[in-house]
Amino acid sequence: MDRHIPFETLHNFRDLGGYPAGTGHRVRPGRLFRADSLGGLAPGTADWDRFLALGVRTVIDLRRPREIEAQGRVPGHGSFAYRNVSIEHRSYDRPAPTPDADPGPYLCARYLEVAEDGAEEIATALRLVAAAEEPLVFHCASGKDRTGQLAALILSLLGVPDEVVVEDFTLTELAAPGLLAGWRSRNGGRSPAWPTFGRAPGAAMRLFLAALRERHGSVEAYVTRALGLNAAELSTALRSRLLEPLPAGWPEPSYRRARPQDAAALVRLRDTAALWQLARGIRQWRPGEKTEAHFLDRMREGEVWLAHTGAALTGAYELWWDDPAAWGPRPPEAGYVHRLMTAPHTAPPGAGRGLLAHAESRIAAAGRPYARLDCLSANPRLRAYYESAGYTVVGEQRAKDGGSGSPYAVTLLEKRLT
């Protein structure tokens, strides 16, 4: 599931559905959205029709009134109610971090200010979300800071784990190029003074959640003491409206060879998986490392396969027929699995194993007796995953050159196919 819903004039409109709530339930898709400014929408356009088709019945605008006056608001329409609930009382007009500074602590401090200054407005926004019987969207200017802070509170009250809250925050990284291009087009081609404009470092949200708990004891205590709400009642109301049980079963996945027009979706899937890893402290992948050109090359030189569950893209992998960078020159005795990836939170249980089994069947059908793969030597969790799938460690390549110019150590794993 790509959480970003595509618009021409919006860059960071996302569905919060599918996240696990820790109780065997997930957030219901199509009910709660977060976004950047909706001021760019205009009646009579494809974007406007796409927005109305989502069935949104409440729009919460978290911006200050002067921002709305300068940048516009969502056009009025009889199908939804509009509320301006400005939660930020102080502008970010203090010196911005220098380009080499870590923006995480700075942003955390600003979020704590908003949490205290905007307590009344945050309480109002949470009440509106909890009372909404139909789809609702909340937004600020770029859909990152104020929107991210409110999303974090809602998800936490729903029981979503911290690492998922951090992951959701960092998904703005996928919208950063569009947000930056939009800012420049509105400002005569200039670049913003903020060196990290549109960026969403996981450290900012991780530090904020830790600081909020240190100051108040828990998110629930903050809601009770600072916002004056009954946290238990609020959490119950949110869960009753926004959670759905996990499905009793999943449809069987279907597999097909990737085509050139799938390259953009593959980049998006990989970048989303990279943010999932980073939110959990796994340094295997980083967003932006692989472009469409990479996947197009792999389609020409090997095989790329997609897995769908129903209509949703839920996983993919690359199959190479040689891999000298990791394994050196070898006879044609193996297939090499790369970029095994699943859609975070929305892929069915066992999706990764299913992809591995499919890759192994392709290798066996080619008459090759071995399936091989590698993982970063510094990633013991991934090594254990492959070992549990029947792979055996057979060596280590201490200086693999994956084309980035920075060699790295990988563990080599192999499985004999029957």
Side-chain angles (χ1 to χ4, degrees), residues 198-358:
R199 305 299 302 274
M205 183 53 63
R206 196 175 290 111
L207 289 169
F208 169 65
L209 291 172
L212 196 71
R213 291 190 176 102
E214 181 178 359
R215 183 174 295 184
H216 296 279
S218 66
V219 172
E220 291 76 13
Y222 162 73
V223 169
T224 299
R225 298 170 187 167
L227 305 188
L229 302 175
N230 185 313
E233 291 181 0
L234 178 64
S235 179
T236 297
L238 288 169
R239 291 171 187 238
S240 68
R241 287 171 170 79
L242 293 174
L243 295 188
E244 66 174 8
L246 284 171
W250 297 84
E252 285 294 317
S254 60
Y255 301 91
R256 68 167 175 85
R257 287 279 291 269
R259 300 184 288 265
Q261 55 266 40
D262 297 315
L266 285 161
V267 171
R268 198 76 167 189
L269 179 61
R270 187 196 178 278
D271 286 351
T272 302
L275 291 171
W276 182 95
Q277 293 174 6
L278 292 172
R280 289 154 181 79
I282 302 170
R283 305 292 173 178
Q284 179 87 9
W285 294 346
R286 292 184 180 276
E289 290 175 322
K290 301 298 179 187
T291 64
E292 291 185 32
H294 165 85
F295 290 103
L296 292 171
D297 287 344
R298 299 322 311 167
M299 291 177 207
R300 285 190 293 266
E301 298 173 13
E303 298 182 5
V304 181
W305 284 83
L306 307 178
H308 287 82
T309 304
L313 174 63
T314 50
Y317 70 88
E318 299 172 12
L319 182 56
W320 301 10
W321 296 116
D322 63 354
D323 187 4
W327 293 83
R330 296 290 182 108
E333 61 187 5
Y336 301 84
V337 183
H338 285 272
R339 239 84 46 206
L340 182 80
M341 47 194 177
T342 60
H345 312 298
T346 54
R353 289 290 183 87
L355 287 161
L356 264 183
H358 188 270

Side-chain angles (χ1 to χ4, degrees), residues 115 136 139 155 191 205 231 275 297 343 347 361 388 396:
L136 175 147
H139 76 91
L155 293 175
S191 293
M205 183 53 63
L275 291 171
D297 287 344
S361 72
S388 70
E396 185 168 293

